């Protein structure tokens, strides 16, 4: 368990941590000279069960709230320190508001400097604290009088026992907000170099497990790193887990490339974004929140600046809650469910806080009914309703990768709802639909093909890219491939060569045309990349050119041959080979290189490349012919 101090300046937070652990968390020369905490301090003490209790000691000065917030995000249990002689002070109130906004719900009040007041004062302050906490998450918190500077103080001993019991209870029940089976995330609050070791970062592991040798990423920079060694709760270990204070010795990155506010994360989590949709509670004090209002945002250990876009109105009254989009000046990394606080433009007061809903929010249509319904679904999922609500709001399906990004849980740690229509994709990915959504997608595809066949009965069908543009143009290439492949597997669609069609659709030939086709196809296959022209085949077979042309066009509609230019047809196997050559070249070729690879002349090479452009397999970009994203010849 990680305990975090909170309270007004000079109320004895650091002295109390020293009394509990024997560690002086004021490590800076300036801190010792001035007698106040300036930076976050860390201490650890062993527990009887072998676990280690960690402490984060935060500064209490009003100008150092940003530092306090960076420390408070990583705690499980609050140690609210209130001096018996001063009582509740401004930073006491602000620190409590911050803890509440960050979702800290467990804690104890240490009534410090109890030796400086009489019993009547102790009783009065205790009652004042009880009344103040009555309508907060800490209403049940016990108040323990302590004298941190008195050797053998019974109050310190009682407080230590209470912290021990709280740690044991958390260990027994588990921390639902910090799952060890999730993808690893660590919020960096300190960076330094260690002689003989290199770069070290410390922070609280928000989720997952980290092991020596793991390959991770520094966000938002996107820097790849490898874990050389791990310390958890101040002990060398092979693995650190969620809820622990971890120090990671990293390879592949220099000290000056890192800073407080970075995240060290596993693959699969959301990347950086400047637009984040949140659920924001605006505190009671002050004026209403308006559109495009500037705020300081403390998210994880990050301190950023953002402006507000209110999604459900133009003002948010004090004491109210609303979904808001935060538009940051610089990219930030976060996850649904992450807690945050906001401070006023002058950074002199905490004015609100809440939780993240969508870390990669859109800039357009952000206030639409569809978008707000999606945010409702995310909120319900965070509140424990699972994936059902998300699936119901995913008209074009929900990918397994999206679920991982939304939940932070790898595949295998969650399940699709029982009624979901789940389609298998490549490399273990899947795409799921609510039953009604799948019916709508499927029906639309079939209706488009049915109409196309009715209008153009002699055409073989549509290539995958064009069919996608005619049915669901907003569907990305990966989802579209998964959809049509699933419909092919269940018999709803059929494919002939590059053409997709209904299973009942056929391009028919007469017996004479079929016989001529059997004579023509070997000639095309033998010619490979330089097949004979229509006139040459007509002459060789003593058949009129028009008959040859008619049969070849029907073969093209069946997907067995392809017309490159007028009167020049390639058999399907040769075109498949040529398409594969483009793919093997990295998906982009220019005419000269393609000419050399095929052994053809420049004119013929250009004709073939322009055919692939027309067919939707590639597109022209300057002198290059670039394969379209997700395009596969003869497939979706």
């Amino acid at each position: 368990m990680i305990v975090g101090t909170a309270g007004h300046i000079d109320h004895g937070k650091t002295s109390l941590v020293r009394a509990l652990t024997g560690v002086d968390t004021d490590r800076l020369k300036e801190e010792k000279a001035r007698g106040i905490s300036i930076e976050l301090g860390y201490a650890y003490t062993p527990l009887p069960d072998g676990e280690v209790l960690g402490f984060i000691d935060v500064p209490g000065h009003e100008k150092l709230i940003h530092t306090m917030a960076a420390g408070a995000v990583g705690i499980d249990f609050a140690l609210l320190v209130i001096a018996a002689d001063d009582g509740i002070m401004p930073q006491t109130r602000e620190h409590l508001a911050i803890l509440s906004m960050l979702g800290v719900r467990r804690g104890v009040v240490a009534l410090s400097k109890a030796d400086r007041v009489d019993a009547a004062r102790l009783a009065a302050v205790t009652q004042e604290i009880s009344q103040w906490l009555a309508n907060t998450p800490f209403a049940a918190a016990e108040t323990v009088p302590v004298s941190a500077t008195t050797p053998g103080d019974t109050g310190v001993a009682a407080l230590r026992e209470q912290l021990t019991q709280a740690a044991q209870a958390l260990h027994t029940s588990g921390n639902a907000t910090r799952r060890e089976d999730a993808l690893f995330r660590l919020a960096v609050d300190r960076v330094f170099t260690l002689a003989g070791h290199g770069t070290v970062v410390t922070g609280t592991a928000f989720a997952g497990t980290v092991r020596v040798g793991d390959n991770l990423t520094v966000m938002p920079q996107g820097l790849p790193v490898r874990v050389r060694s791990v310390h958890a709760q101040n002990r060398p270990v092979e693995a650190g887990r969620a809820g622990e204070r971890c120090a990671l010795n990293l390879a592949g990155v220099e000290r000056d490339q890192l800073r407080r506010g970075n995240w060290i994360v596993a693959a699969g989590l959301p990347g950086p974004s400047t637009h984040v949709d949140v659920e924001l509670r605006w505190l009671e004090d002050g004026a209403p929140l308006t559109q495009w209002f500037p705020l300081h945002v403390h998210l994880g250990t990050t301190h950023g600046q953002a402006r507000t876009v209110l999604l459900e109105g133009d003002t948010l009254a004090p004491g109210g809650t609303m979904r808001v989009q935060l538009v940051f000046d610089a990219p930030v990394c976060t996850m649904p469910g992450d807690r945050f606080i906001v401070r006023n433009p002058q950074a002199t007061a905490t004015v609100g806080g809440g939780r993240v809903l969508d870390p990669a929010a859109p800039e357009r249509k952000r206030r639409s009914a569809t978008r707000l319904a999606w945010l409702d679904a995310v909120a319900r999922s965070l509140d424990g309703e699972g994936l059902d609500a998300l699936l119901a709001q995913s008209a074009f399906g929900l990918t397994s990768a999206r679920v991982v990004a939304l939940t932070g849980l790898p595949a295998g740690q969650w399940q699709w709802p029982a009624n979901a229509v789940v389609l298998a994709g490549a490399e273990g990915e899947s795409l799921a639909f609510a039953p009604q959504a799948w019916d709508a997608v499927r029906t639309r595809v079939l209706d488009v093909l049915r109409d196309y066949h009715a209008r153009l009965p002699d055409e073989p069908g549509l290539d995958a890219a064009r069919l996608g543009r005619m049915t669901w143009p907003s569907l990305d290439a990966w989802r579209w491939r998964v959809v049509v492949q699933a419909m092919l597997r269940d018999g709803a669609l059929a494919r002939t060569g590059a053409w997709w069609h209904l299973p009942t659709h056929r391009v028919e030939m007469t017996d004479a045309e079929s016989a001529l086709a059997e004579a023509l196809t070997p000639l095309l296959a033998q010619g490979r990349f330089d097949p004979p022209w229509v006139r040459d085949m007509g002459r060789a077979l003593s058949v009129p050119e028009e008959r040859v042309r008619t049969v070849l066009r029907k073969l093209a509609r069946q997907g067995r041959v392809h017309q490159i230019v007028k009167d020049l047809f390639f058999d399907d196997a040769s075109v498949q080979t040529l398409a594969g050559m483009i793919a093997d070249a990295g998906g982009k070729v220019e005419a000269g290189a393609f000419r050399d690879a095929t052994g053809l002349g420049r004119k013929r090479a250009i004709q073939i490349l322009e055919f692939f452009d027309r067919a939707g397999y590639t597109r022209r970009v300057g002198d290059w012919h670039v394969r379209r994203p997700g395009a596969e010849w003869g497939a979706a």
Side-chain angles (χ1 to χ4, degrees):
M1 185 175 79
I2 300 174
V3 178
T5 63
H8 197 74
I9 186 173
D10 201 32
H11 274 203
K13 297 184 293 297
T14 301
S15 296
L16 183 56
V17 171
R18 183 167 56 245
L20 290 166
T21 67
V23 177
D24 184 359
T25 57
D26 281 348
R27 53 190 169 79
L28 301 180
K29 183 177 180 180
E30 184 181 358
E31 290 178 317
K32 295 185 180 299
R34 296 175 60 185
I36 64 170
S37 297
I38 298 172
E39 262 295 347
L40 298 176
Y42 310 98
Y44 303 89
T45 188
L47 296 175
D49 61 0
E51 293 293 317
V52 174
L53 189 63
F55 288 82
I56 301 178
D57 184 29
V58 306
H61 197 286
E62 63 177 337
K63 293 183 179 180
L64 298 173
I65 288 292
H66 62 282
T67 303
M68 180 271 173
V73 295
I75 70 174
D76 303 306
F77 194 90
L79 177 55
L80 183 60
V81 182
I82 302 175
D85 50 357
D86 282 346
I88 300 167
M89 297 292 283
Q91 264 54 66
T92 316
R93 298 181 185 277
E94 186 167 16
H95 281 203
L96 182 73
I98 290 172
L99 292 172
S100 299
M101 291 293 180
L102 293 178
V104 181
R105 295 292 180 266
R106 290 168 293 193
V108 63
V109 178
L111 192 56
S112 63
K113 305 183 182 181
D115 56 322
R116 299 188 183 183
V117 299
D118 57 24
R121 173 60 182 170
L122 274 179
V125 175
T126 300
Q127 183 177 6
E128 179 189 10
I129 293 170
S130 178
Q131 292 173 348
W132 174 54
L133 294 178
N135 295 318
T136 75
F138 300 95
E142 186 176 341
T143 298
V144 182
V146 296
S147 176
T149 58
T150 301
D153 180 62
T154 57
V156 171
L159 179 60
R160 184 183 294 111
E161 177 60 25
Q162 187 166 136
L163 293 174
T164 299
Q165 292 177 4
Q168 291 171 341
L170 181 64
H171 181 69
T172 301
S173 63
N175 191 337
T177 62
R178 302 195 193 279
R179 293 185 55 166
E180 294 180 26
D181 57 356
L183 295 174
F184 182 72
R185 302 171 68 216
L186 179 137
V188 176
D189 56 29
R190 188 180 173 210
V191 184
F192 57 93
T193 55
L194 199 60
H197 295 274
T199 304
V200 177
V201 299
T202 70
T204 299
F206 273 50
T209 301
V210 60
R211 294 179 173 82
V212 174
D214 281 355
N215 292 308
L216 303 172
T217 304
V218 179
M219 287 295 188
Q221 300 96 312
L223 301 172
V225 293
R226 180 176 56 82
V227 179
R228 284 174 169 161
S229 63
V230 180
H231 276 63
Q233 300 294 84
N234 208 36
R235 298 181 296 184
V237 294
E238 284 298 310
R241 61 183 189 269
E244 293 182 329
R245 289 282 310 166
C246 293
L248 308 181
N249 180 204
L250 301 178
V253 68
E254 299 298 326
R255 161 71 183 86
D256 58 6
Q257 294 178 282
L258 303 174
R259 63 183 182 275
R260 175 181 290 169
N262 286 155
W263 290 88
I264 311 297
V265 302
L269 294 173
S273 170
T274 55
H275 293 69
V276 179
D277 283 349
V278 303
E279 187 178 77
L280 174 66
R281 181 188 167 209
W282 195 241
L283 293 182
E284 289 81 358
D285 301 332
L289 177 65
T290 56
Q291 297 285 13
W292 211 240
F293 191 78
L295 292 170
H296 288 264
V297 183
H298 296 271
L299 180 61
T301 55
T302 302
H303 173 201
Q305 296 183 55
R307 290 186 177 269
T308 58
V309 178
L310 278 61
L311 302 180
E312 299 173 279
D314 292 324
T315 60
L316 174 58
T321 299
M322 182 185 289
R323 286 166 295 185
V324 173
Q325 185 169 107
L326 297 177
V327 182
F328 285 86
D329 293 346
V332 297
C333 283
T334 184
M335 281 281 296
D338 280 354
R339 310 293 301 197
F340 66 93
I341 64 165
V342 293
R343 308 194 80 216
N344 63 9
Q346 299 77 30
T348 57
T350 300
V351 292
R355 63 177 177 176
V356 172
L357 296 179
D358 194 334
E363 295 183 52
R364 303 181 63 185
K365 298 183 179 179
R366 50 194 168 193
R367 303 179 74 180
S368 67
T370 300
R371 179 64 190 167
L372 294 178
W374 170 256
L375 295 180
D376 278 341
V378 174
R380 290 167 60 188
S381 178
L382 291 173
D383 291 337
E385 294 190 25
L387 300 178
D388 296 81
L390 294 173
L391 207 58
Q393 295 301 323
S394 301
F396 299 124
L398 188 62
T399 66
S400 53
R402 179 76 164 134
V403 173
V404 171
L406 286 169
T407 63
L409 299 175
Q413 300 300 330
W414 53 270
Q415 291 183 333
W416 292 115
N419 68 337
V421 178
V422 182
L423 312 180
E427 299 178 357
E429 292 291 333
S430 56
L431 175 65
F433 290 84
Q436 303 92 322
W438 173 242
D439 287 343
V441 169
R442 193 173 183 275
T443 299
R444 174 64 179 162
V445 175
L446 297 177
D447 286 348
V448 166
L449 276 176
R450 194 174 292 113
D451 177 68
Y452 184 81
H453 292 330
R455 289 186 293 107
L456 300 167
D458 289 336
E459 292 295 326
L462 290 163
D463 65 83
R466 187 179 175 197
L467 178 59
R469 290 192 295 271
M470 292 174 66
T471 51
W472 298 106
S474 56
L475 209 61
D476 62 80
W478 184 86
R479 293 184 200 218
W480 176 240
R481 286 200 306 277
V482 172
V483 166
V484 293
Q485 291 291 351
M487 293 181 69
L488 178 66
R489 286 194 299 271
D490 68 18
L493 293 181
R495 189 183 73 206
T496 303
W499 311 115
W500 291 79
H501 54 85
L502 296 177
T504 55
H505 181 71
R506 296 284 187 276
V507 176
E508 303 294 343
M509 289 188 184
T510 65
D511 291 343
E513 288 173 334
S514 296
L516 180 55
E518 293 304 313
L520 292 171
T521 50
L523 297 178
L524 296 178
Q526 292 166 12
R528 203 161 180 253
F529 301 158
D530 189 22
W533 293 79
V534 166
R535 63 177 179 272
D536 298 326
M537 288 188 286
R539 189 180 303 118
L541 297 174
S542 300
V543 176
E545 286 184 29
E546 191 54 41
R547 281 191 61 199
V548 173
R549 190 176 292 113
T550 298
V551 170
L552 287 173
R553 285 175 177 169
K554 286 193 174 184
L555 287 173
R557 294 186 188 112
Q558 292 179 346
R560 295 168 62 186
V561 303
H562 303 275
Q563 183 169 319
I564 304 302
V565 293
K566 183 181 178 181
D567 283 356
L568 181 64
F569 293 80
F570 280 38
D571 75 314
D572 184 59
S574 297
V575 174
Q576 292 275 10
T577 301
L578 291 166
M581 293 171 69
I582 295 174
D584 293 342
K588 55 183 293 188
V589 293
E590 55 181 354
F594 191 67
R595 173 201 61 200
D596 296 340
T598 58
L600 299 170
R602 181 176 177 82
K603 181 178 180 180
R604 179 62 56 83
I606 291 174
Q607 289 172 338
I608 294 170
L609 291 173
E610 289 178 344
F611 159 76
F612 282 125
D613 290 343
R614 292 194 306 274
Y617 181 65
T618 58
R619 60 188 178 93
R620 181 78 177 269
V621 181
D623 292 333
W624 295 89
H625 297 263
V626 182
R627 186 171 63 160
R628 292 179 181 273
E632 297 178 28
W633 187 258

